[in-house]
Amino acid sequence: MESSHSCSSYSLLISSLLLALFFSCNATQCSDDQEVPKVYIVYMGAADQHHSHLLSSRHAQMLASVSNRSVESAMETIVHSYTQAINGFAAEMLPSQAFMLQRLHNVPPNNPFNELHRPEDAFGNAAANSLWKKTKGENMIIGVLDSGVWPESASFSDAGLPASLPAKWRGSCASSASFQCNRKVIGARYYGKSGIAAPTPRDTTGHGSHVSSIAAGAPVAGVNELGLARGIAKGVAPQARIAVYKICWDERTCSAANVLKGWDDAIGDGVDVINFSVGNRKGSYWSDVASIGGFHATQRGIVVVAAAMNGDAGCVVQNTAPWVMTVAASTTDRRLPCNVVLGDGSVYQGSSLANFDLGNTFYPLVYGGDIPAKPTTSPARQACVAAGCSPGALDPAKARGKIIFCGAPEPSSDPIKYVTDGMKAIGAIGFIVGNNAVGKERLLSLRFTMPATQVGNKAANSISSYIKSSRNPTATIKTPTTVLNQKPSPMMGIFSCKGPNPEVPDILKPDVTAPGVDILAAWSEAADKPPLKYKFASGTSIASPHVAGLSTLLKSMYPGWSAAAIKSAIMTTAYTQDHTGKPILDGDYDIATPFNYGSGHINPVAAADPGLVYDAGEQDYVSFLCNIGLSAKQVELITGKPETCPSIRGRGNNLNYPSVTVTNLAREATVTRTLTSVSDSPSTYRIGITPPSGISVTANATSLTFSKKGEQKTFTLNFVVNYDFLPRQYVYGEYVWYDNTHTVRSPIVVNAVSRLASGEGNLVYEV
């Protein structure tokens, strides 16, 4: 869930003991009138696994040196010691003490909070070519950094799982009389929150339970919400184990100190895949705890999957580090229609999550803007507010016993709840939310507690015209139903944040898209009244665990593959056409682009046999960080060990990434890629290129022959601007390596500068 909520309970410092960067405050800024204790993070790079038992003592000694405390007393103020994969600590200290650490160790500050992505099936029968015929994630462990878990959910049953835990597991369970792990949820940790008498890893928001069950939930029959989408719920890797790290205590904020501790513990505990459905508004790669945690996880071979973040039409993708697989959200082919039938017999499809039955009874239909309450401001303003059916804005006498047609309120759950409560208070039978914006047709199912539905812009215009032209307009709202095989699908979620990558535009983000709209999965029974065992939810949070589950299946099948190879397999086999064979559409029914879906929608069966992969390791990422302009000292902040950067640097887009982005292209540029064969059979691949508009793209090789598994081949792509046909915007294309069996596809994104900007133009011409 995206939120503008501002919290200042904590401050964040991220540093390396070896590096000099800059001071975040001067002596005046850290003066006595600001001496309020806050939690600061001190980051010192990678932990030495052979001496991790000594780190906590070292952290206390550091803190004692600036606090006039004994080591024992300083230890009491440490919130977390990071000792598994990350070396550092979070401690409560005064700003002046933090300033002293800065003077000694040069520690820069950063954003202290991350946010959960607010969430909003399969009937259990595996297709003949399903990956479940080969693996269901046996012996694999998925680490879920989120809001905890509801362990009693049937989705977390351990029935049928082996009695012994995976040998690689080194974690623990914070068990108590009220919380128990089992052979499915094998680990559960929480990172304390003040004011809670007996904190546990138990989920109270529903978010963590939903995410965990999508990634690795056990099969459960008869799952539904409000009778909708009834069937068997099953996680993507249903035999995998789950390790829970409760880093968030509500849906808005997650302390950075807790986030980093969750990463450190998950890495040390021996998980295979980490799902991080949490967003971070700020922070470059070298100063963001999720980026740092993700880097250390990748160092250990752990696949890191994260949500792209949710928001309005202009929201920008987050979790953009290249060692992270960033996931956008798209629809499935299932819809939950809740239709409007007008008195003239016209039927318009709407969408609703509600439990009601008006039968075939028609009720008077009225537009909210026509029945405003007695004006409290100007009549025009009151009518405008009434059009959106804001609570208190309608005349109860004219609304009672009627169905009200409203303009779209703010698209979030709280305003809809307030509108619903207001409608009940004035005695309305129900209401219809019509999308005001031209071209806005894609609907996100909203949760109502009375007869209500939402319709798109075209339907809204038709309903409005009917009301204006009819002497006695009437309507009814039909009970919501479940409909499968809907087209077009998939489509992009209207909330899914987009590229370009705000940190490094030369790396395309998001990477892929996956189901994330109206997904039914396990829920916390403490989150709603009355309690819900399963609930529909939408968000990139919900898409991310689909990819985490798929990554788990691939790692189970190919334990020798690196995290980058698994990521490449998923990206290069993704598809960009919907089930009708046309380009995937965005939430406004426009053609989507790689900034919406990255490489495309995940294709699990194809990902298990990619043919070729773009592999990368730690040194590749170090070179990338140098190439994007970070100093060696900043790179050390991420890797945790001394690094050097060459005096002559390349560009970030030369990282061996499964997509290619070239920004600020002035005349021409070249990028290099290396392919690795993961196929058992020798094969020759040929290249096919669909260049972006106005750009010429050529490869230095038209074919590549691989004689054995593990063989590598390097090639280059050359980009040349054709200024006569260059659009003034990002342009998109793709290139494909293919043999008789495999198609290895990579998107191309280019942004070129004008001829004048590149120095190619003349302002004065000879005549």
Side-chain angles (χ1 to χ4, degrees):
M1 174 180 180
E2 185 174 17
S3 169
S4 59
H5 181 70
S6 175
C7 297
S8 57
S9 301
Y10 300 89
S11 296
L12 170 64
L13 272 74
I14 299 179
S15 83
S16 166
L17 292 180
L18 304 176
L19 308 180
L21 287 179
F22 54 85
F23 296 160
S24 67
C25 60
N26 56 35
T28 302
Q29 291 173 317
C30 296
S31 60
D32 292 341
D33 62 355
Q34 297 179 350
E35 288 292 275
V36 177
K38 299 179 181 181
V39 173
Y40 294 85
I41 293 176
V42 179
Y43 167 66
M44 296 175 282
D48 182 345
Q49 298 180 60
H50 301 292
H51 300 93
S52 60
H53 61 289
L54 302 176
L55 294 180
S56 294
S57 176
R58 171 59 178 150
H59 299 160
Q61 292 172 5
M62 280 185 58
L63 191 56
S65 71
V66 298
S67 61
N68 296 320
R69 292 172 174 263
S70 67
V71 172
E72 292 76 14
S73 177
M75 183 76 76
E76 296 176 358
T77 67
I78 293 180
V79 178
H80 298 303
S81 264
Y82 312 117
T83 62
Q84 300 295 315
I86 298 166
N87 181 13
F89 62 93
E92 188 176 78
M93 64 184 91
L94 298 173
S96 59
Q97 294 166 348
F99 180 59
M100 291 175 66
L101 276 178
Q102 288 183 298
R103 294 295 301 270
L104 291 171
H105 308 298
N106 300 306
V107 183
N110 209 324
N111 179 32
F113 287 104
N114 294 263
E115 298 176 344
L116 285 174
H117 296 199
R118 183 178 178 84
E120 258 282 344
D121 71 36
F123 292 98
N125 299 316
N129 63 346
S130 169
L131 293 191
W132 286 339
K133 301 290 187 180
K134 301 176 181 178
T135 177
K136 294 183 179 178
E138 294 85 351
N139 205 42
M140 305 301 291
I141 307 169
I142 302 177
V144 181
L145 277 65
D146 214 284
S147 66
V149 72
W150 189 263
E152 294 82 7
S153 171
S155 289
F156 306 122
S157 167
D158 60 3
L161 291 175
S164 60
L165 300 184
K168 59 196 164 189
W169 175 244
R170 300 183 295 274
S172 62
C173 178
S175 59
S176 65
S178 62
F179 187 98
Q180 297 292 322
C181 290
N182 59 12
R183 298 191 308 274
K184 167 60 78 172
V185 179
I186 63 174
R189 300 178 185 263
Y190 65 89
Y191 308 99
K193 181 177 176 65
S194 60
I196 296 179
T200 75
R202 184 173 294 279
D203 177 21
T204 59
T205 71
H207 192 278
S209 300
H210 207 272
V211 166
S212 297
S213 65
I214 291 171
V220 184
V223 169
N224 72 94
E225 185 191 355
L226 304 173
L228 298 170
R230 186 180 299 275
I232 297 177
K234 185 186 297 185
V236 179
Q239 291 288 306
R241 317 301 181 98
I242 299 169
V244 173
Y245 302 87
K246 185 172 181 176
I247 58 173
C248 304
W249 293 81
D250 57 53
E251 292 179 352
R252 291 184 179 272
T253 55
C254 318
S255 159
N258 292 347
V259 171
L260 191 59
K261 182 60 174 172
W263 281 104
D264 187 44
D265 283 342
I267 297 167
D269 286 348
V271 304
D272 298 289
V273 174
I274 289 177
N275 186 83
F276 188 70
S277 288
V278 182
N280 183 29
R281 293 176 173 278
K282 299 178 182 178
S284 59
Y285 296 156
W286 56 271
S287 62
D288 169 33
V289 291
S291 172
I292 292 170
F295 184 90
H296 288 287
T298 304
Q299 277 182 318
R300 303 286 184 90
I302 299 170
V303 182
V304 178
V305 185
M309 191 58 177
N310 314 323
D312 56 22
C315 68
V316 179
V317 62
Q318 299 178 17
N319 291 317
T320 62
W323 43 86
V324 172
M325 187 150 32
T326 310
V327 186
S330 42
T331 69
T332 67
D333 64 354
R334 182 185 64 202
R335 303 286 191 271
L336 306 172
C338 178
N339 296 342
V340 175
V341 182
L342 303 181
D344 64 1
S346 301
V347 179
Y348 298 98
Q349 181 170 309
S351 186
S352 173
L353 292 173
N355 185 17
F356 64 88
D357 188 355
L358 296 180
N360 294 317
T361 304
F362 283 74
Y363 296 88
L365 175 65
V366 63
Y367 174 51
D370 293 338
I371 56 169
K374 184 177 180 179
T376 56
T377 55
S378 69
R381 172 60 183 162
Q382 193 71 16
C384 179
V385 174
C389 299
S390 298
L394 302 179
D395 184 338
K398 296 179 180 179
R400 189 171 296 112
K402 296 181 175 64
I403 292 176
I404 315 299
F405 175 61
C406 313
E410 182 182 343
S412 65
S413 58
D414 286 345
I416 286 295
K417 178 184 183 302
Y418 298 151
V419 171
T420 303
D421 291 345
M423 289 292 183
K424 291 178 178 178
I426 61 177
I429 295 295
F431 65 101
I432 303 164
V433 178
N435 203 316
N436 295 329
V438 175
K440 304 294 184 181
E441 304 297 335
R442 177 75 191 109
L443 304 176
L444 181 68
S445 297
L446 301 176
R447 186 167 275 100
F448 301 99
T449 55
M450 67 183 298
T453 190
Q454 183 188 26
V455 298
N457 180 253
K458 292 180 181 178
N461 290 338
S462 297
I463 295 171
S464 178
S465 297
Y466 167 73
I467 293 173
K468 292 176 182 177
S469 62
S470 300
R471 180 171 297 180
N472 296 300
T474 60
T476 191
I477 305 173
K478 306 303 289 186
T479 303
T481 59
T482 305
V483 179
L484 303 178
N485 301 316
Q486 292 295 285
K487 299 176 181 178
S489 65
M491 293 177 61
M492 297 307 302
I494 57 177
F495 51 79
S496 188
C497 291
K498 311 170 188 64
N501 184 337
E503 293 299 321
V504 181
D506 274 349
I507 295 293
L508 177 63
K509 291 287 180 171
D511 291 305
V512 290
T513 188
V517 177
D518 293 341
I519 304 300
L520 184 62
W523 201 248
S524 166
E525 294 185 40
D528 296 284
K529 294 181 179 180
L532 292 171
K533 295 179 183 293
Y534 290 85
K535 187 173 181 178
F536 287 102
S538 298
T540 56
S541 280
I542 309 311
S544 181
H546 283 87
V547 179
L550 173 56
S551 300
T552 302
L553 298 180
L554 295 181
K555 192 159 188 179
S556 175
M557 294 175 65
Y558 306 110
W561 282 14
S562 68
I566 291 174
K567 178 178 181 178
S568 175
I570 294 173
M571 289 177 64
T572 60
T573 57
Y575 57 87
T576 60
Q577 293 182 324
D578 63 28
H579 293 172
T580 70
K582 297 180 180 179
I584 291 176
L585 302 178
D586 66 11
D588 300 331
Y589 280 75
D590 295 324
I591 294 177
T593 75
F595 284 152
N596 297 98
Y597 52 62
S599 292
H601 193 284
I602 61 171
N603 184 343
V605 174
D609 184 22
L612 305 172
V613 297
Y614 295 90
D615 208 350
E618 179 179 347
Q619 192 53 50
D620 297 290
Y621 295 128
V622 169
S623 297
F624 160 79
L625 293 169
C626 290
N627 285 338
I628 64 173
L630 268 63
S631 67
K633 293 179 179 179
Q634 289 171 325
V635 176
E636 288 178 29
L637 286 174
I638 299 173
T639 67
K641 56 187 179 182
E643 304 287 358
T644 58
C645 287
S647 56
I648 300 177
R649 308 191 186 197
R651 287 189 59 162
N653 56 23
N654 272 317
L655 175 66
N656 200 39
Y657 212 68
S659 58
V660 173
T661 304
V662 183
T663 57
N664 298 319
L665 176 59
R667 192 172 182 182
E668 65 179 310
T670 299
V671 299
T672 301
R673 292 290 187 270
T674 298
L675 285 162
T676 302
S677 174
V678 292
S679 177
D680 291 323
S681 303
S683 189
T684 296
Y685 287 79
R686 303 184 185 282
I687 193 169
I689 301 175
T690 303
S693 176
I695 308 295
S696 170
V697 184
T698 56
N700 70 334
T702 58
S703 66
L704 297 173
T705 298
F706 298 85
S707 59
K708 60 182 179 179
K709 181 185 291 187
E711 186 174 1
Q712 295 185 329
K713 298 285 185 178
T714 298
F715 66 96
T716 61
L717 294 173
N718 190 58
F719 297 80
V720 178
V721 180
N722 183 343
Y723 290 112
D724 294 333
F725 298 96
L726 180 65
R728 295 185 178 183
Q729 58 192 16
Y730 278 96
V731 286
Y732 315 99
E734 66 179 29
Y735 71 97
V736 177
W737 288 102
Y738 61 93
D739 65 0
N740 294 330
T741 305
H742 308 96
T743 300
V744 187
R745 192 184 63 82
S746 295
I748 297 172
V749 178
V750 177
N751 170 237
V753 297
S754 70
R755 184 188 298 268
L756 289 177
S758 67
E760 291 291 312
N762 292 316
L763 296 179
V764 180
Y765 294 87
E766 182 176 329
V767 296

